[in-house]
Amino acid sequence: MSKKFLIALGLSAVSLLAQATPINLISNGSFESVSLANGSWGTYGSLSGWTVGPQNVEIRNNVAGSAYAGLNFVELDTSRNSWISQNFTTIIGQTYHLSFMWANRPDQVGANSNGISWQVAALDGVVGKNTITSWTQFDLDFVATGTSTTLRLGATGASDGMGTSLDAVSVTQLPPAAAKSTVPEPGSVALLAMAAGALFVARRRKA
Ligand SMILES: [Ca+2]
Ligand SMILES: [Ca+2]
């Protein structure tokens, strides 16, 4: 293999990595694992991909609103305030992007009843503690501090069986160009190292 070819190989591998569609690290982030008839809802003590709090999770299909993505969406104030959480694999120091859609139900009883508390890495906050009924996107960049990161989403506000709807939960690894850190992602480093290693071997063979 020629030196030029190897350099081109390394560069195109890095370029491919950068252009790859981001993978959603959240499993069942759109809550489509449950089959519900149109106009129906249910509460569940377990949900694929998620750990479910003791007050269960409510999933609806065209009841008190409609899904942002697919057919189903979630409410975390079931009969009382509940929560869901999910662990996903992360790289320490790498920047990730969390996003989800929230909306308050059209028949809500007011801002005091609404809101979703979110926690990820060492960050936390509350969103949706208002009377907005259209789907609204929440976005957050965070830096992983462990090889496993937990996302927790819970109902906050009055625990009264009505709360903020949730759908389309996503965590993606930011590509190096968009990340705040200037450290290249380990995948790119590994590929560059492989290309450099092949170059070294090729040059030694030539010699
Ligand atoms: Ca959905
Ligand atoms: Ca509530």
Side-chain angles (χ1 to χ4, degrees):
M1 280 191 282
S2 79
K3 189 174 170 180
K4 268 184 187 168
F5 175 78
L6 284 165
I7 290 168
L9 185 73
L11 285 175
S12 48
V14 170
S15 164
L16 270 175
L17 264 180
Q19 286 166 16
T21 308
I23 295 163
N24 187 1
L25 302 177
I26 298 296
S27 169
N28 195 26
S30 187
F31 311 108
E32 303 299 320
S33 65
V34 171
S35 186
L36 279 167
N38 189 13
S40 69
W41 60 278
T43 56
Y44 301 84
S46 66
L47 182 60
S48 175
W50 297 91
T51 299
V52 176
Q55 304 302 329
N56 303 330
V57 59
E58 184 173 317
I59 303 179
R60 303 204 299 263
N61 177 351
N62 266 332
V63 178
S66 56
Y68 171 79
L71 300 174
N72 299 339
F73 62 110
V74 148
E75 186 177 74
L76 296 168
D77 186 347
T78 53
S79 55
R80 295 173 61 187
N81 280 350
S82 190
W83 54 267
I84 55 174
S85 74
Q86 186 166 146
N87 301 325
F88 48 92
T89 300
T90 45
I91 299 158
I92 295 171
Q94 171 68 46
T95 305
Y96 293 84
H97 185 74
L98 163 68
S99 72
F100 58 81
M101 301 302 294
W102 64 266
N104 286 308
R105 41 191 298 164
D107 59 346
Q108 61 177 293
V109 293
N112 187 49
S113 171
N114 295 336
I116 292 172
S117 62
W118 56 266
Q119 292 173 17
V120 70
L123 306 173
D124 62 83
V126 171
V127 67
K129 199 161 184 58
N130 51 48
T131 55
I132 296 169
T133 56
S134 52
W135 284 112
T136 306
Q137 187 163 330
F138 173 83
D139 287 293
L140 175 82
D141 286 353
F142 66 92
V143 176
T145 54
T147 53
S148 176
T149 298
T150 303
L151 169 67
R152 187 185 189 278
L153 299 162
T156 188
S159 186
D160 53 9
M162 292 177 118
T164 303
S165 299
L166 170 71
D167 201 2
V169 185
S170 164
V171 171
T172 55
Q173 184 177 326
L174 285 184
K180 282 168 188 159
S181 167
T182 52
V183 179
E185 63 177 357
S188 314
V189 175
L191 273 165
L192 281 173
M194 273 167 63
L199 237 176
F200 177 74
V201 170
R203 288 182 80 172
R204 278 195 66 178
R205 278 197 185 141
K206 212 174 169 185

